[in-house]
Amino acid sequence: REFGTPAAVIDMDRVERNIARVQAACDAADVANRPHIKTHKSPELAKLQIEAGARGITCQKLGEAAVMADAGIDDILISYILLGDEKMARLGALRARIDVTVAADNPVVVADLTKAAAAAGRSLPVVVECDTGRKRAGVETPAEAIELARIISTSPGLSFAGFMLYPTETGWPQAQTFFDEALAGVRALGLDNPAIVSTGGTPNLKNLGQLRGATEHRPGTY
């Protein structure tokens, strides 16, 4: 009687139960929750996730991250590769006002990210995106991950922040082997232990805690 059809209706009791359930699962696995907001795209729901215990959020796009930052959320991982002068200007403006971490999977992206750091006037943390079986994006070997971490750490205005992985639902042993080799390599370079070792996504909630060394997880749809 109040709304025209079709209309999206949200059962907030169910939303709150689901937020609590996922947070409890992350807590039990001793892995921080960094939910991906690309599904709900709602600052209000993101704030509920943070209030429940999430470390921060994951965004897929700069536009999403800017909306979340405008709403007062100040710890954001952008998981999609960013490239180009227009995006570097926007990223620099965003980094100037909040804590934002970005991903890279090749040296061309890393070189561009130095422009955003310069525009921000502060260091920009970068994680190496690793392909651990999904064949969607990321470096394909531990050797590539190690080399890209070295390039990030020696690039002006950038800091190596860690690794971002998205194992397949059955490929966690292979992901562990990949990560262990990459971690040993960056340690051999004298880099600090990664602050972020991020795994995803919703299908892998059942696998929380299976990757030794993981610090956080990126669930999306609850």
Side-chain angles (χ1 to χ4, degrees):
R1 296 181 178 182
E2 295 181 47
F3 304 102
T5 56
V9 178
I10 298 172
D11 182 338
M12 285 305 298
D13 290 338
R14 179 171 294 183
V15 168
E16 291 168 0
R17 286 197 302 270
N18 286 341
I19 288 174
R21 176 175 55 85
V22 172
Q23 186 62 49
C26 289
D27 291 344
D30 197 24
V31 175
N33 182 19
R34 187 181 291 276
H36 205 313
I37 59 83
K38 66 182 179 182
T39 304
H40 61 69
K41 298 192 179 186
S42 164
E44 289 79 8
L45 293 182
K47 286 180 178 180
L48 288 177
Q49 291 170 313
I50 292 170
E51 289 168 4
R55 168 175 292 173
I57 62 171
T58 306
C59 293
Q60 196 74 352
K61 299 170 58 180
L62 266 171
E64 293 172 349
V67 169
M68 295 294 160
D70 289 343
I73 297 172
D74 61 0
D75 188 346
I76 299 176
L77 168 66
I78 300 178
S79 56
Y80 193 73
I81 301 301
L82 303 174
L83 189 66
D85 288 345
E86 186 267 345
K87 287 186 174 60
M88 292 305 103
R90 291 166 58 198
L91 176 59
L94 184 66
R95 174 58 179 152
R97 61 191 180 108
I98 68 163
D99 289 333
V100 59
T101 301
V102 296
D105 66 359
N106 68 79
V108 175
V109 170
V110 172
D112 228 24
L113 291 174
T114 62
K115 302 173 187 176
R122 59 191 296 213
S123 176
L124 177 65
V126 184
V127 294
V128 175
E129 181 174 11
C130 303
D131 177 8
T132 50
R134 291 190 182 271
K135 303 301 180 185
R136 302 198 313 183
V139 296
E140 295 184 345
T141 67
E144 289 178 294
I146 296 163
E147 175 60 12
L148 196 59
R150 184 195 67 78
I151 294 171
I152 292 167
S153 68
T154 57
S155 296
L158 305 184
S159 62
F160 169 65
F163 300 102
M164 185 177 75
L165 307 89
Y166 192 175
T168 66
E169 285 72 69
T170 58
W172 286 72
Q174 294 86 346
Q176 188 72 60
T177 300
F178 187 115
F179 170 66
D180 288 347
E181 187 173 336
L183 179 61
V186 299
R187 284 175 172 169
L189 292 175
L191 298 176
D192 292 336
N193 282 337
I196 296 174
V197 179
S198 178
T199 58
T202 305
N204 274 325
L205 283 170
K206 62 184 179 182
N207 296 315
L208 281 172
Q210 286 200 26
L211 187 81
R212 296 184 306 277
T215 65
E216 62 183 44
H217 194 74
R218 309 182 309 277
T221 306
Y222 289 2

